[in-house]
Amino acid sequence: MAKGDGGIKQIKGKDGKPIKDSEGRFVWEVRISTGWNPIAKKYGIQTKRVHGSKADARKKRDEMKRQLENGIDLEAAKACLGDFADRWLSNRIESGELSDNTIDRYTLIIGQIKKYLGAVAISDVTPLVVDDFYRAIKADRGLTNTTVRKIHQVLRQIMEQACIYDMILRNPCDKVKAPKNDPVNRESLSAVDASRLLTAIERAESEAYAAESAKECRQDERGNYERGYIHGITEIACVLAARLGLATGARRGEILAVTWQSIDLANGLVSIAASITAKGIVKEPKSKAGNRVIALDAATVNALCKWQTVQAFELGKIGFKVKADTPVFSDAKGGYINPCNFSRWWRKFTTANGFEGLKFHELRHTQATLLLAQGVDVKTVQNRLGHANASITLNWYAHAVPENDRAAADMLGRLLDEPPKLRVVKLPKTA
């Protein structure tokens, strides 16, 4: 059988009669040669069973021949989607192009894909199969449109790689319309609530200092000088981290990655040049625009000045010398605070102070909302938040602008009702 040739054989039983499936359809075996294999020293044969009429079998044979002519690797196309998805992710991880958070997210999504399509051959993943998969996973697991869209994005990348490898001719995801993202309800604090939060932070700051001092007095009374950590210092650091978050709108990871060399107390500036992941890995911010310098208010600068002195003194008790690369918001041993531990502290603090459910990231929304509502130009807000361009700031925080809508309407009304009078200028008489 030459390459590309195909044959059709009807499947018969031992009695020589054609076999029918449970739906009364005839069963056919389609065979097509994939050409001479010099390694195995034999012709490759691709087979496929078809249930239906002989015309259906011919249609399948012709489809297989077209795929072969277009360079499709028929053997590879028989691979299960689940195995190929794992291989795809492994290659992406080895390339070093994915962050830890992205790896975790892709791993979770691929796990969901494998539960539904893991055993399906790549060549059998059609647009209809993909569409049915989205419907099923959304109904079974109660997923939002946004989550299904993220699954679609990953599955599309996987199937696109299969196209590159000549496993399939076209990406089935291209013909499936992914659901639109659900509207995002970005909460932010009003000016009154933001002020109330700052008051709570200042109160917690005083209490944390007092508690830390009391603990150290007890340690001195016991003569406990051989220690590897300082009781209570992490509590103060967490409170001050929250204060800086409210003052700058920086992300959690960015705040916790700030070191003393990033703080210019004399000029009231903080440089955001790194971020710490949930796994405790310090890396660059999520975008180049994330590297930025943000001005600080006087009260925040004063709080940090006091903390710098206290931190150096207390950590010095365990032989730790605070340096330029020491985290500003350090743990009990002078290292970085684990972001997950900080989040636990934040939940406890907000619940105790009447802000239950407030996410730390919402301080970022609060910063943008309050500044835009007070007429601060978009470019300044963009720079403080570290957005790549102003359009991102507007798209994410456009809900802040309508707060000035009434004032704008009133101003326009006054202009139309009392148009400015034109001043008549008398020209000098000409001779």
Side-chain angles (χ1 to χ4, degrees):
M1 185 184 297
K3 180 179 178 181
D5 289 345
I8 300 173
K9 181 178 71 173
Q10 189 171 33
I11 304 301
K12 299 180 179 180
K14 294 181 179 180
D15 57 2
K17 295 182 179 180
I19 292 178
K20 293 184 179 180
D21 62 15
S22 59
E23 298 180 11
R25 298 175 300 180
F26 290 113
V27 182
W28 309 82
E29 182 181 80
V30 178
R31 295 164 58 87
I32 185 171
S33 172
T34 58
W36 176 256
N37 187 327
I39 304 300
K41 295 183 178 180
K42 64 179 182 180
Y43 283 96
I45 301 296
Q46 174 73 27
T47 63
K48 188 79 174 180
R49 292 222 167 175
V50 179
H51 294 238
S53 65
K54 191 170 185 178
D56 294 327
R58 290 196 192 97
K59 184 177 179 181
K60 173 57 67 175
R61 180 200 60 190
D62 294 341
E63 177 188 339
M64 293 169 65
K65 290 174 68 174
R66 283 195 303 271
Q67 290 179 337
L68 185 62
E69 291 167 358
N70 283 293
I72 301 301
D73 188 337
L74 299 178
E75 283 298 320
K78 293 171 62 178
C80 294
L81 176 58
D83 294 336
F84 184 74
D86 288 337
R87 176 183 173 184
W88 173 83
L89 179 58
S90 178
N91 290 341
R92 294 290 302 276
I93 294 174
E94 290 178 5
S95 70
E97 61 187 86
L98 302 180
S99 67
D100 291 336
N101 289 341
T102 302
I103 292 173
D104 291 342
R105 178 163 57 87
Y106 280 6
T107 300
L108 179 62
I109 289 176
I110 288 176
Q112 294 174 324
I113 292 173
K114 288 169 66 176
K115 288 181 180 178
Y116 289 81
L117 301 177
V120 178
I122 292 177
S123 58
D124 291 336
V125 180
T126 64
L128 182 59
V129 169
V130 173
D131 193 54
D132 287 343
F133 162 56
Y134 294 158
R135 293 176 185 276
I137 195 171
K138 183 177 180 180
D140 296 346
R141 308 177 74 85
L143 302 181
T144 63
N145 285 338
T146 300
T147 301
V148 176
R149 187 176 183 85
K150 290 178 179 178
I151 294 174
H152 170 79
Q153 292 168 346
V154 174
L155 180 59
R156 187 180 182 281
Q157 292 183 62
I158 294 171
M159 299 308 293
E160 189 63 31
Q161 192 64 52
C163 287
I164 294 173
Y165 287 165
D166 290 331
M167 300 171 72
I168 52 177
L169 185 60
R170 299 180 183 85
N171 190 334
C173 296
D174 290 342
K175 294 187 177 182
V176 178
K177 187 175 182 180
K180 294 183 178 180
N181 287 329
D182 294 313
V184 179
N185 184 21
R186 300 182 178 92
E187 297 292 341
S188 62
L189 298 175
S190 65
V192 173
D193 284 338
S195 178
R196 187 165 63 88
L197 177 62
L198 179 58
T199 299
I201 289 174
E202 291 175 337
R203 182 172 60 250
E205 184 180 331
S206 298
E207 293 173 351
Y209 273 120
E212 193 274 338
S213 178
K215 289 178 181 178
E216 284 306 299
C217 285
R218 290 193 293 271
Q219 294 294 329
D220 291 340
E221 292 172 357
R222 296 168 185 165
N224 187 12
Y225 302 115
E226 299 297 325
R227 294 176 287 155
Y229 57 90
I230 298 296
H231 287 285
I233 200 173
T234 306
E235 181 78 12
I236 304 173
C238 285
V239 176
L240 290 171
R243 179 168 197 146
L244 190 63
L246 181 60
T248 63
R251 302 174 180 87
R252 179 191 68 174
E254 295 173 337
I255 293 289
L256 297 180
V258 171
T259 58
W260 283 114
Q261 63 190 355
S262 304
I263 297 280
D264 181 355
L265 294 174
N267 295 300
L269 301 171
V270 58
S271 175
I272 304 297
S275 181
I276 186 169
T277 69
K279 294 183 178 181
I281 299 174
V282 179
K283 61 180 185 64
E284 293 183 355
K286 61 188 300 183
S287 68
K288 290 183 179 180
N291 291 289
R292 60 202 186 276
V293 177
I294 305 175
L296 301 174
D297 62 277
T300 300
V301 171
N302 290 337
L304 290 174
C305 284
K306 176 182 178 180
W307 169 239
Q308 187 179 46
T309 302
V310 172
Q311 183 194 46
F313 176 75
E314 295 298 343
L315 289 177
K317 295 178 181 179
I318 59 173
F320 184 93
K321 185 178 180 180
V322 174
K323 300 178 182 178
D325 60 352
T326 299
V328 173
F329 310 110
S330 60
D331 62 12
K333 296 181 179 180
Y336 290 100
I337 293 176
N338 184 288
C340 296
N341 291 339
F342 175 79
S343 292
R344 280 191 286 271
W345 172 87
W346 174 256
R347 286 193 294 271
K348 181 180 178 181
F349 166 76
T350 51
T351 300
N353 288 279
F355 292 94
E356 185 174 3
L358 178 68
K359 297 180 177 61
F360 187 79
H361 199 79
E362 289 171 353
L363 300 186
R364 186 170 173 80
H365 302 319
T366 297
Q367 168 102 176
T369 300
L370 295 182
L371 292 180
L372 288 172
Q374 291 301 313
V376 176
D377 64 279
V378 174
K379 189 65 178 179
T380 297
V381 178
Q382 171 205 337
N383 290 336
R384 289 183 70 86
L385 297 181
H387 287 154
N389 51 66
S391 64
I392 298 176
T393 308
L394 286 175
N395 289 339
W396 278 63
Y397 302 106
H399 64 290
V401 178
E403 293 189 10
N404 288 333
D405 187 48
R406 175 52 56 193
D410 293 340
M411 180 183 68
L412 182 61
R414 289 193 298 271
L415 289 174
L416 296 176
D417 187 50
E418 299 178 6
K421 295 180 180 179
L422 297 177
R423 186 163 60 94
V424 179
V425 179
K426 292 183 179 181
L427 299 176
K429 295 181 178 180
T430 58

